[in-house]
Amino acid sequence: MTTVRFAPSPTGYLHVGGARTALFNWLYARNTGGKFILRIEDTDVKRSTQAATQAILDGLMWLGIDWDEGPYFQSERLPIYQEYAQKLIDEDNAYYCTCSVDELDEQKKQAISIGRAAGYDRRCRDKGAKQGVLRLKAPIGNTVFHDLFRDRFEFDNSLIGDFVLVRSDGMPTYNFTCAVDDALMGMTHVIRGDDHIPNTPKQLLILAALVFNPPRFGHLPLILGTDKSPLSKRHGAVSVMAYQEQGFLPEAMVNYLALLGWSTTDSQQLFSKEEMIKKFSLKRITKNPAVFDMEKLQWMNGVYIKQANPEKLANLCREFTSQKGKIGDIQLEEIIKLYQGRIKVLPEIYQLGDFFFSPEIHIPEKICQEVLSMSGVEEVREILTETKKVLSALEIFNPDTIEQAIRTMAERLGIKAADIIHPLRAVLTGKKVSPGIFEVAALLGQEMVVQRIEGGLCMVR
Ligand code: GLU
């Protein structure tokens, strides 16, 4: 059975790269009916925090990436690593090194001065020390692996050196815990970022020394910004949860992340989760860097918003507004229906539709001049006065009755409906562009409409 994992170190939030790694492993597990394990690599006690673990779990849950086993915490598995460290010592595959930091620095300097690789010179190999840092006795030769997404890699073991497995304080290192756990947890594939390529030969050496079958390794391409430099804060948020806060939908985010290094033969862009699982294949993962394009993500989010259930969107909007201390509107769902075809992120509703959310509106000077104080000021005044009369007389106030009333009024006065609609839109919304004005007026309600026309009339001059 395929067994894969996501193994974050809890030293910060879940970032875009980590989320993409988790997603690809998850998609592969789901595609093959395998198992996806979550393992928290928290043996670096100084840098690991519970808050970061929680942030990572929150990020995964928001994206809908569920795990079949775990989370396992490496900090709770220390006796296991001790056991395997002892096995390596007993079988003469590891030894204690007592070199001080100064000594190691000195070795490094010397190596560089004679043009040798700056690794540890193995001087404690045969000392038989009983404590210190534990180092792997790297065999002479080369370590080779065939990457799932790239070519063959070959490393000279002498350059890898006798690296550290357990620190002098007894804490095992990342390479050691990772290799042991990947073996014990039965990983068939290790799919992770290509920054881990230098770790793979080390982990292979550990696995070989412990006579464990190695998993297949695949290193995902780097994620770049649109300027082709590695993705960083300069390109926008790197934390996945920041996208939630900015009004992105998890479905859009997952869809977008899936395309960072993977594609179908026909370059399909939009996938339901089920479709993504069905079509996902390791064969279609590229080795070329993937580009994180904010505009494309926004476009995709817009598509998902357009298709989403308005009630669901309203609930999400309420979360935003309560976060920001605004009061949710009971008509939010109806307002969303007016905007969901034209926004890219949810909070845009509060910018484009600001006139729905506060009783007072501000009509910018520019709009007053263009719409309300056109050549025929008197005419605009008359039109608005008449509109107010007509609309306040309506017994049923809905988009149809409003439209009917406006069209009848236009006919009666021998003017175009647009001559009424433009000033009406200006006084109701403070804008030149809005969703259909009859829908807008109906949602604002008769009382508010009358009040805003009166307010607008004061601006006609
Ligand atoms: N814990 C490592 C990290 O967060 C990843 C380990 C791995 O995937 O092998 O970078």
Side-chain angles (χ1 to χ4, degrees), residues 5-11 15 21 25 39-41 74 174 178 182 190-193 195-196 199 203 217:
R5 63 3 176 234
F6 178 49
S9 304
T11 53
H15 54 82
T21 299
N25 279 287
R39 184 173 76 217
I40 306 294
E41 304 206 317
Q74 288 190 325
Y174 153 67
C178 183
D182 283 341
V190 166
I191 301 164
R192 58 186 174 191
D195 49 327
H196 284 290
N199 291 322
Q203 294 173 13
F217 287 91

Side-chain angles (χ1 to χ4, degrees), residues 26-201:
W26 180 85
L27 284 171
Y28 187 50
R30 295 292 171 262
N31 172 271
T32 53
K35 193 158 67 173
F36 175 65
I37 296 179
L38 178 61
R39 184 173 76 217
I40 306 294
E41 304 206 317
D42 58 349
T43 53
D44 185 345
V45 211
K46 277 199 216 93
R47 295 176 61 225
S48 303
T49 66
Q50 238 169 13
T53 298
Q54 194 54 51
I56 292 167
L57 300 185
D58 289 347
L60 293 175
M61 287 189 281
W62 180 61
L63 293 170
I65 299 177
D66 55 349
W67 48 93
D68 306 307
E69 262 185 39
Y72 293 113
F73 290 86
Q74 288 190 325
S75 58
E76 292 169 5
R77 296 168 57 80
L78 297 179
I80 298 174
Y81 311 125
Q82 266 158 18
E83 183 190 323
Y84 283 93
Q86 193 55 49
K87 184 166 169 359
L88 288 173
I89 298 169
D90 293 345
E91 293 172 3
D92 200 24
N93 282 317
Y95 62 93
Y96 284 110
C97 160
T98 52
C99 292
S100 65
V101 178
D102 290 346
E103 265 175 284
L104 292 172
D105 276 352
E106 193 51 41
Q107 285 179 37
K108 206 187 240 175
K109 270 191 214 140
Q110 264 183 12
I112 291 170
S113 72
I114 58 165
R116 211 169 46 85
Y120 168 68
D121 71 4
R122 303 173 170 175
R123 67 176 61 176
C124 294
R125 255 200 186 200
D126 302 311
K127 266 193 192 159
K130 293 277 172 269
Q131 57 190 21
V133 301
L134 188 70
R135 292 185 182 271
L136 184 83
K137 213 176 239 187
I140 297 166
N142 292 340
T143 300
V144 174
F145 74 92
H146 296 265
D147 195 280
L148 286 162
F149 320 131
R150 302 163 190 249
D151 314 320
R152 174 179 182 274
F153 283 93
E154 180 163 356
F155 298 83
D156 179 348
N157 292 352
S158 70
L159 297 182
I160 298 170
D162 286 357
F163 57 91
V164 176
L165 302 171
V166 182
R167 297 188 189 88
S168 53
D169 63 1
M171 277 316 253
T173 59
Y174 153 67
N175 278 309
F176 185 47
T177 56
C178 183
V180 168
D181 280 347
D182 283 341
L184 296 183
M185 295 175 184
M187 282 333 141
T188 54
H189 300 72
V190 166
I191 301 164
R192 58 186 174 191
D194 63 4
D195 49 327
H196 284 290
I197 289 174
N199 291 322
T200 301

Side-chain angles (χ1 to χ4, degrees), residues 5 30 97 177 193 196 236 294 330 334 388 427 454 461:
R5 63 3 176 234
R30 295 292 171 262
C97 160
T177 56
H196 284 290
M294 194 63 187
I330 35 160
E334 296 306 313
K388 180 185 138 189
V427 300
E454 280 167 359
R461 53 180 189 262

